[in-house]
Amino acid sequence: MKAIIEVSKRGSAVRSARAQLAASRRGTSPDFKLSFESARMLFSELTPARVDLLDTLRRVGPCSVYALAKAAERNYSNVHTDATRLEELGLIERNEEGQVSVPYESVEILVPLAQVA
């Protein structure tokens, strides 16, 4: 399964959520989709540091936020803030022991370019 992060028009996030729900009811495992209304909003949430954190977490596997901060060679407080936001966005998960992990094989970011008139 992969995460698809995209810039899309208003209302498409609702359509995407409905499609994911329908697929899960059919027993299929749909890709996770996350939509933003603008590239500016997408990149304010998915900063280079957060993308690097996803990559580091995918490499090291499930671990504590403290261990993730050490692996990423970043300040614990900043990693904690970023991990919390990535969890809120659905890009990382936390297990019963409090360890965080990335449940996706890959993350695709789709940003359509404006049409030329």
Side-chain angles (χ1 to χ4, degrees):
M1 185 164 74
K2 65 183 168 186
I4 301 171
I5 303 168
E6 62 187 354
V7 174
S8 59
K9 296 178 185 171
R10 283 183 189 217
S12 60
V14 173
R15 285 190 298 277
S16 176
R18 285 183 185 148
Q20 288 182 45
L21 183 59
S24 68
R25 287 182 180 152
R26 289 191 305 270
T28 58
S29 182
D31 292 331
F32 174 77
K33 291 190 179 179
L34 179 61
S35 297
F36 294 91
E37 291 182 13
S38 70
R40 184 178 312 275
M41 288 177 68
L42 185 155
F43 291 117
S44 72
E45 291 289 349
L46 206 60
T47 64
R50 289 179 180 167
V51 172
D52 288 345
L53 202 58
L54 286 172
D55 182 55
T56 300
L57 185 53
R58 183 74 185 153
R59 270 187 301 104
V60 301
C63 63
S64 68
V65 174
Y66 179 78
L68 177 59
K70 287 189 72 82
E73 298 178 355
R74 289 185 50 203
N75 174 282
Y76 170 80
S77 179
N78 294 339
V79 170
H80 183 273
T81 298
D82 286 346
T84 298
R85 186 61 187 139
L86 289 169
E87 184 178 6
E88 292 168 353
L89 292 170
L91 295 172
I92 65 173
E93 294 178 343
R94 189 177 302 266
N95 66 19
E96 308 82 45
E97 292 84 34
Q99 294 180 320
V100 292
S101 64
V102 178
Y104 310 106
E105 297 293 321
S106 65
V107 173
E108 291 181 13
I109 300 173
L110 306 173
V111 181
L113 299 176
Q115 297 276 339
V116 176

